[in-house]
Amino acid sequence: AQFVPDMDQVRPFYTDLLGYTAVFDKDLPDGLIDEVLELPAGTHSRMAFLLQLETNTPAVDLIVCQPSGKSLADVIGPDHIGLFGLAFEVDNLAELQEKLTAAGYAVKSGPVEMEIPERGLIRSLVIAGPNQAWLEFCERD
């Protein structure tokens, strides 16, 4: 799951560029997820689940809350354990890289190739996605 500042700005990245399908996108009753996510009482939230249909890829869960939180994009790194990025397996990394860079997303790393025991050759790249979340895309040979 990702907390995002603007659902309508982030969602098209997954649906239009990556080809995911929105299977749920609704405003939740105020306070419904407050206790679970340790939000202030009465927070207004909207949640979307996006899937790559006909794959085993887990859903992407986007959550936007009002009032909004503080972005941690500027402090991602070793000093803040657990805050780094998400990874997605894709069929054609080169094609996806062209789409992402044409849409203005900056490549932070890669593409790189590495041989992983029992997995084979993996190609990957990392981009700064919407709301500056770091997203890794990998392709297996």
Side-chain angles (χ1 to χ4, degrees), residues 3 29-45 65-69:
F3 281 100
D30 288 354
L32 180 67
I33 60 173
D34 294 358
E35 187 176 330
V36 174
L37 298 179
E38 297 182 10
L39 300 171
T43 298
H44 179 76
S45 303
C65 297
Q66 295 300 328
S68 185

Side-chain angles (χ1 to χ4, degrees), residues 11 14-16 18-25 48-54 58-60:
R11 185 180 147 168
Y14 292 96
T15 56
D16 299 349
L18 300 185
Y20 281 52
T21 300
V23 295
F24 179 89
D25 186 345
F49 295 115
L50 310 170
L51 290 174
Q52 281 184 308
L53 297 177
E54 301 176 10
V60 173

Side-chain angles (χ1 to χ4, degrees), residues 87-132:
F88 302 90
E89 188 170 344
V90 299
D91 291 331
N92 188 323
L93 189 65
E95 183 180 291
L96 179 63
Q97 183 177 358
E98 285 180 28
K99 285 172 67 172
L100 294 172
T101 55
Y105 293 97
V107 174
K108 294 293 190 180
S109 172
V112 297
E113 290 187 2
M114 56 194 129
E115 187 75 31
I116 299 177
E118 299 182 26
R119 297 279 186 222
L121 183 66
I122 306 285
R123 288 179 203 81
S124 70
L125 66 91
V126 175
I127 67 150
N131 65 308
Q132 296 305 304

